[in-house]
Amino acid sequence: LCVARARPTPAISSAMMMRRALQARGFSALAQPAPQDTLAGILSDMLAESKAAGTLKKERPITSPQGPKVSVLNNDKPVLNLCANNYLGLANHPRIVSAAAQALHAYGFGMASVRFICGTLDVHQKLERRIADFHRQADAILFPSCFDANAGLFESILSKEDAIISDQLNHASIIDGVRLCKAQRYRFNHMDLADLDAKLREASGARVKLVATDGVFSMDGNVAPLKEMLAVCKKHDALLFIDECHATGVLGAEGRGTDEAAGILGQVDIINSTLGKALGGATGGYTTGRQDVVDVLRQKARPYLFSNTVAPPVAAASIQAFDILESDEGKDLLGRMRANTKKFRTEMKAAGFDLKGTDHPIVPVMCYDAKLAAGLSQRLLELGVYAVAFSYPVVPKETARVRVQLSAANAPEEVDAAIAAFKQAGKELGMIP
């Protein structure tokens, strides 16, 4: 009797067994070659285009507190800082640092909650009251940032029966906020009162008409003609909204903003602004204005309802920032900031530089060409001055510039040194004779 010997079964790896089991369940794609990564090619082309155009942005890590001089990673010595929003020099002010530290010990690091659940502290309500009083408004509401305040405002209070009439050069956060809203949209030419009047006539059938403008336009340093705009709004029974991020703590006799500087303090319907620039430079934004607007935002504004509350140390430190601004020290800081601004603008114009803006500490030094702006910024850093180039898409094409921001913290001799560096770099690059 002949008995056939069975062949031994080949060993099957656990990976192969898993693959076969998955294929049997319909996961056949796992056995196929990886598809071409289309997104990687698109993004690679985007970055290559930015690099070729000279608009690729690079971050320079700072290794010191924010101040008139900062230490930059891999730089041999500290450099003059002319590109922070630290207008009053409060970012590392000892009283503000101390207030934040005390709040950290009293309340902890964060609240781990949105406001309406368990994220509201007494310090938040105290800060909101302080903001409203500062702006001569009925109430205020805190947001994680002013970008969030702008994102939450329009869609909460307006609908398709209403109209928004917006300056064509408004900040990106206003533009994005308007996009989220279903209201009819009109755009008027930059600070053009006649065109604003015309657009309001076009929107005459809207239930509510809201004019939206920056108080100070951050890329150009120019100031909206607010008093005249308010008159046009009243003519057409329209409301006025302003974004005051670069005006709070900067403009007006007491630093209350564009409306104070224009002589109409307390007459603007809605104001959005930030705690992240002149008022200590941390985070947080707010809306202040009519009581009914603030009440509705607490119920409907999505960035408020679905974002964690402003951290307790930031809230406490921001109250201290208002204390400083409204004191004699604040008046001194405002005076120093303005003196530095006047000195820089006067001497840079005399040297032949093309500047934008008026009397605001934002001073755009125009280069127009993106590569020239990047080259000027790099040469300034080599000469000990930290000032950043701005180009498309942050500003329109062929309007590249190095944006300077003066601070009360800059000593007069530091302003002199910055002007000297600009003159040297400008001559080397053929910008001035």
Side-chain angles (χ1 to χ4, degrees):
L1 183 64
C2 182
V3 179
R5 180 179 295 177
R7 292 183 179 180
T9 303
I12 301 176
S13 69
S14 58
M16 185 179 295
M17 292 175 66
M18 177 65 75
R19 190 179 300 114
R20 288 180 178 176
L22 289 171
Q23 288 173 345
R25 295 181 183 182
F27 291 94
S28 58
L30 293 174
Q32 304 299 319
Q36 181 179 357
D37 190 343
T38 305
L39 180 61
I42 294 171
L43 298 182
S44 179
D45 289 345
M46 286 182 183
L47 293 171
E49 288 173 8
S50 295
K51 187 174 183 180
T55 61
L56 190 68
K57 298 163 191 62
K58 296 181 180 179
E59 297 176 357
R60 295 168 176 161
I62 293 173
T63 60
S64 65
Q66 188 66 272
K69 287 187 176 182
V70 292
S71 298
V72 179
L73 188 66
N74 298 324
N75 218 59
D76 293 337
K77 56 181 69 174
V79 294
L80 288 175
N81 184 8
L82 293 184
C83 56
N85 298 312
N86 190 25
Y87 296 116
L88 298 178
L90 299 182
N92 195 37
H93 192 288
R95 284 172 57 186
I96 289 179
V97 173
S98 176
Q102 291 177 37
L104 185 65
H105 289 292
Y107 296 106
F109 179 61
M111 292 303 295
S113 175
V114 299
R115 285 285 297 270
F116 79 93
I117 299 178
C118 59
T120 297
L121 290 168
D122 56 348
V123 71
H124 292 124
Q125 294 181 327
K126 181 179 179 183
L127 175 57
E128 287 171 337
R129 184 69 260 152
R130 190 63 180 275
I131 289 167
D133 291 344
F134 179 78
H135 287 284
R136 304 294 191 262
Q137 296 288 345
D139 202 356
I141 176 174
L142 291 170
F143 286 87
S145 69
C146 189
F147 203 112
D148 287 315
N150 286 339
L153 173 66
F154 304 108
E155 69 167 346
S156 297
I157 66 171
L158 301 176
S159 67
K160 62 183 180 180
E161 293 86 10
D162 307 316
I164 301 174
I165 304 91
S166 182
D167 188 291
Q168 69 177 139
L169 293 187
N170 274 342
H171 190 268
S173 60
I174 299 176
I175 294 170
D176 284 0
V178 170
R179 285 173 176 166
L180 292 170
C181 179
K182 295 180 180 179
Q184 305 159 46
R185 304 172 194 170
Y186 299 84
R187 187 170 65 173
F188 65 94
N189 294 332
H190 180 47
M191 299 200 310
D192 186 331
L193 295 171
D195 196 41
L196 171 60
D197 185 81
K199 294 300 189 295
L200 280 165
R201 286 199 302 272
E202 288 181 35
S204 61
R207 182 181 63 178
V208 174
K209 298 178 287 294
L210 178 64
V211 173
T213 183
D214 279 309
V216 174
F217 292 84
S218 62
M219 287 298 111
D220 292 335
N222 50 13
V223 181
L226 213 58
K227 186 173 184 177
E228 294 78 6
M229 290 182 72
L230 181 63
V232 175
C233 288
K234 288 181 176 179
K235 173 183 173 183
H236 293 276
D237 193 27
L239 303 177
L240 180 58
F241 159 82
I242 57 174
D243 180 314
E244 287 285 84
C245 284
H246 290 274
T248 303
V250 179
L251 293 184
E254 297 179 323
R256 298 180 193 275
T258 314
D259 55 346
E260 183 189 24
I264 55 170
L265 182 63
Q267 298 181 47
V268 174
D269 297 284
I270 307 169
I271 296 172
N272 281 4
S273 194
T274 183
L275 304 170
K277 292 181 171 58
L279 299 176
T283 61
Y286 56 85
T287 296
T288 186
R290 297 163 43 151
Q291 188 66 58
D292 52 1
V293 169
V294 174
D295 289 344
V296 167
L297 290 177
R298 290 197 193 278
Q299 303 303 314
K300 295 184 63 176
R302 294 167 72 86
Y304 178 80
L305 293 173
F306 298 105
S307 297
N308 269 15
T309 185
V310 173
V314 173
S318 298
I319 293 172
Q320 187 65 228
F322 280 108
D323 287 344
I324 293 171
L325 179 55
E326 295 188 285
S327 69
D328 289 340
E329 182 182 0
K331 294 177 183 177
D332 180 61
L333 292 173
L334 287 166
R336 284 157 52 185
M337 175 191 66
R338 290 163 184 166
N340 287 340
T341 299
K342 183 177 181 180
K343 180 182 183 66
F344 186 85
R345 281 189 171 276
T346 300
E347 296 192 23
M348 287 286 285
K349 282 184 179 178
F353 284 101
D354 182 4
L355 308 180
K356 279 201 170 190
T358 51
D359 296 326
H360 194 276
I362 292 175
V363 186
V365 181
M366 300 305 296
C367 303
Y368 300 99
D369 179 75
K371 290 184 178 180
L372 176 60
L376 175 60
S377 175
Q378 180 58 41
R379 183 61 182 127
L380 287 169
L381 187 63
E382 294 166 0
L383 294 172
V385 175
Y386 187 10
V388 172
F390 288 81
S391 55
Y392 181 81
V394 179
V395 295
K397 290 181 178 180
E398 300 180 357
T399 65
R401 78 282 308 267
V402 168
R403 186 181 71 173
V404 171
Q405 290 167 280
L406 281 305
S407 170
N410 296 124
E413 56 270 22
E414 292 173 339
V415 179
D416 289 334
I419 294 167
F422 264 98
K423 287 180 179 178
Q424 181 177 336
K427 288 177 181 178
E428 292 173 359
L429 296 170
M431 294 179 66
I432 59 173

